[in-house]
Amino acid sequence: MTTLTPISTQPRAMSLPHPSPVQDRDVYQALLEQPLANRELGRDYLERQLARAQDLPCDLPKDARELSAWVIAGAKRTTAAYNQYLTRRKQGQPRRYFANRSHALYFIHAVAPTKLVDGAWLHGVLPRWYDARFQGLARTYLEELGDGNPAQNHVVLYKKLLASHGCEDTSMLSDAHFTQGALQLVLGTLAEDYLPEVIGYNLGYEQLPLHLLITAFELSELDIDPYYFQLHVTIDNASTGHAHKAAQAVLDNLPVIGDAEAFYRRVALGYRLNDLGLGTTAVIEAFDLERELLAMFERKRETAGMVHSDFCRIEGRTVNEWLSRPGQIGEFLGALETRGWIRRHQDPAESRFWQLVQGDRAVMFGVFSPYEQQLLHDWIAGDWLAAQVRPKGPQGRTNFRQWRRPGLALGNAAPGEAVAGSEFDRELTALKAELQGCSDPERLARLIELMAPALHSTPPGLLATRLFRELTQ
Ligand SMILES: [Fe+2]
Ligand SMILES: [Fe+2]
């Protein structure tokens, strides 16, 4: 019988050299792939980030008993500000965040390292699922995992969103884009030593922010599936959702014996970790369409060298010559404009160059991902785009889809049972067989291992989540 190869989380010789390198991206990758082997690396990183957080302002109430009221008041302020935003939009103000679709896709791509480990900071509380003090946090983690239903698993949802626009590759993002994700992974791995900080981080992360509401609204307006963001508006709500549970977790864990004030100070420090790295609005403001377009063409240039025919010359140079050296893309695009291949500030359909890129019969069909096409489209369209009543994507979509049927819209089947003998379900069959031979504590430990941030969105991780829920709730 085939058995599932256990995924070892024991230290291995190949853990990252310590104490360097310690860039955010390295910590992120190390803690995602081998959390236990890289605990010390994570600890160093976390200590440095906590020292940085000391200097940040903190708006938590002085007395932890005021937290529930603080959560409700914060949610009220957010919804009032959102209503103001909606009123202004109705009065004709432009979108606040996203100038166009490529701007919105840039945002979805840039926050991917954080969203792909959504909930990770709570993984470390799972072994204490039976303790009433942690039940709210464990429930929050299970809800981040969609209780093992792929249509509700936040990481699965985000992966699908990225894939539908060709935004999966995060290799070009800066270290600062990985700070929040690295923190989440470290906190999830070191909960035994940093429990107050985990609880404080969770308190900050689970509050309803204004940017979430505006993002969901503007994505929908731009014909981009907002479901991932909408889901968080409801699931993190202040009265019964994650925001409420987060405040309750602080109160449930205030020490009866010992220094409650010191505990709360550590909660407040963990809370401030949320403000490190790049925040949502900083990411949105960093978008520069032309810079992104040029960077995209530079990346393409490295793989497209010499594949073009020398038949056509633009301003005296062949395409291969234009692409032969770095730093010429801007000039090349200028030459295409001069020669009439690109007509800026008009419908891109009128540009010959665009016709080579887009459409089933286009010569360069498949060369550019949907996001890359969108960058080019929006750059060519320029002022013409702003004059359009409805945003228009590369496929000329102008209609709004019905977004509220995630199962169908995202192509998720309901979680099925493994079919014995099917190659598709081999891992699931093996996992079930493996678990049958385990004692109860071994079974729970194995399930928790498979519910780690890197694994819970895989088929065995999703099955493990469903089984964990059945066993514990
Ligand atoms: Fe989430
Ligand atoms: Fe949440």
Side-chain angles (χ1 to χ4, degrees):
M1 184 182 296
T2 314
T3 53
L4 190 79
T5 308
I7 297 158
S8 172
T9 49
Q10 294 306 308
R12 286 189 205 164
M14 57 182 289
S15 63
L16 273 179
H18 176 68
S20 66
V22 284
Q23 298 296 311
D24 306 70
R25 183 198 296 268
D26 297 327
V27 174
Y28 182 95
Q29 220 50 51
L31 271 287
L32 188 65
E33 287 165 15
Q34 296 196 31
L36 296 189
N38 289 296
R39 284 173 66 95
E40 294 314 309
L41 180 82
R43 191 186 306 278
D44 270 9
Y45 179 78
L46 182 55
E47 283 296 333
R48 277 192 290 124
Q49 302 301 333
L50 287 169
R52 288 177 66 202
Q54 289 276 11
D55 301 328
L56 298 173
C58 183
D59 64 345
L60 285 180
K62 294 246 176 314
D63 187 339
R65 284 169 301 186
E66 290 167 20
L67 273 175
S68 292
W70 173 85
V71 168
I72 303 276
K76 273 190 185 156
R77 272 197 309 278
T78 299
T79 42
Y82 182 56
N83 279 325
Q84 255 181 10
Y85 163 85
L86 288 177
T87 306
R88 289 193 189 128
R89 291 301 313 280
K90 273 189 205 131
Q91 290 166 347
Q93 277 203 355
R95 281 184 296 277
R96 184 180 296 181
Y97 283 172
F98 307 125
N100 45 46
R101 281 187 106 237
S102 52
H103 193 175
L105 295 179
Y106 167 88
F107 162 75
I108 284 170
H109 177 233
V111 296
T114 314
K115 305 298 184 193
L116 290 176
V117 294
D118 198 5
W121 63 94
L122 289 175
H123 182 236
V125 305
L126 279 193
R128 300 288 174 137
W129 60 273
Y130 52 82
D131 187 327
R133 290 173 300 165
F134 306 113
Q135 276 176 0
L137 297 177
R139 178 96 291 275
T140 299
Y141 190 67
L142 283 169
E143 284 175 9
E144 298 291 339
L145 274 50
D147 281 320
N149 177 357
Q152 295 291 319
N153 178 293
H154 297 188
V155 172
V156 171
L157 288 172
Y158 210 79
K159 281 183 176 168
K160 291 197 172 201
L161 180 62
L162 291 171
S164 65
H165 300 287
C167 293
E168 303 99 316
D169 182 4
T170 55
S171 61
M172 69 292 280
L173 296 177
S174 77
D175 257 317
H177 289 95
F178 287 82
T179 308
Q180 280 298 315
L183 281 169
Q184 295 179 3
L185 289 163
V186 172
L187 289 168
T189 305
L190 297 176
E192 294 275 343
D193 301 328
Y194 292 91
L195 183 61
E197 287 81 3
V198 169
I199 291 170
Y201 184 85
N202 182 64
L203 179 63
Y205 200 87
E206 297 291 358
Q207 300 311 309
L208 179 68
L210 177 61
H211 62 71
L212 187 66
L213 295 163
I214 297 179
T215 300
F217 184 85
E218 295 195 359
L219 288 179
S220 178
E221 211 177 349
L222 286 162
D223 201 18
I224 296 170
D225 184 354
Y227 183 67
Y228 175 89
F229 298 89
Q230 277 174 348
L231 177 74
H232 285 82
V233 174
T234 48
I235 206 168
D236 293 343
N237 77 77
S239 64
T240 56
H242 295 180
H244 166 76
K245 288 187 174 73
Q248 192 57 44
V250 180
L251 300 176
D252 292 346
N253 284 278
L254 276 177
V256 178
I257 296 171
D259 190 344
E261 275 183 28
F263 176 89
Y264 190 49
R265 270 199 301 278
R266 287 180 61 187
V267 167
L269 192 56
Y271 171 80
R272 278 173 281 172
L273 290 175
N274 280 282
D275 293 330
L276 296 175
L278 285 174
T280 297
T281 44
V283 167
I284 291 167
E285 283 165 13
F287 178 69
D288 178 326
L289 176 55
E290 192 151 312
R291 190 189 62 210
E292 290 305 314
L293 181 81
L294 294 181
M296 180 272 282
F297 272 115
E298 275 298 342
R299 286 194 296 275
K300 284 273 176 256
R301 188 194 65 77
E302 286 167 14
T303 51
M306 306 312 286
V307 299
H308 296 85
S309 81
D310 283 344
F311 176 68
C312 173
R313 284 180 175 268
I314 315 264
E315 296 285 78
R317 284 187 238 175
T318 67
V319 175
N320 285 329
E321 283 166 354
W322 277 113
L323 298 180
S324 63
R325 287 201 312 277
Q328 297 193 121
I329 297 294
E331 210 187 324
F332 179 42
L333 290 175
L336 287 169
E337 221 178 321
T338 308
R339 304 307 300 170
W341 284 74
I342 289 176
R343 295 174 191 279
R344 293 203 62 203
H345 308 297
Q346 296 178 31
D347 184 342
E350 290 162 23
S351 284
R352 223 168 131 196
F353 186 69
W354 177 249
Q355 292 160 16
L356 298 176
V357 170
Q358 211 276 318
D360 295 348
R361 304 177 74 135
V363 179
M364 287 193 277
F365 175 75
V367 170
F368 297 90
S369 73
Y371 172 48
E372 291 167 343
Q373 286 184 39
Q374 191 73 54
L375 283 170
L376 181 61
H377 174 277
D378 292 353
W379 179 76
I380 295 174
D383 297 342
W384 174 84
L385 196 61
Q388 302 307 298
V389 177
R390 290 280 198 219
K392 202 172 176 186
Q395 281 75 43
R397 283 200 304 254
T398 53
N399 61 318
F400 281 12
R401 292 193 201 133
Q402 292 297 311
W403 296 116
R404 290 169 198 271
R405 299 170 67 200
L408 291 176
L410 294 165
N412 279 319
E417 287 306 301
V419 180
S422 161
E423 286 288 344
F424 290 108
D425 294 320
R426 189 172 289 282
E427 278 186 295
L428 305 189
T429 311
L431 175 59
K432 285 183 171 176
E434 181 194 331
L435 293 172
Q436 270 177 359
C438 294
S439 65
D440 281 351
E442 284 170 346
R443 189 172 297 133
L444 280 169
R446 179 66 171 137
L447 295 178
I448 290 171
E449 187 185 8
L450 288 167
M451 291 163 73
L455 304 176
H456 70 72
S457 60
T458 65
L462 291 162
L463 175 60
T465 309
R466 297 196 292 277
L467 294 174
F468 180 86
R469 194 187 163 203
E470 278 170 25
L471 283 172
T472 60
Q473 302 202 346

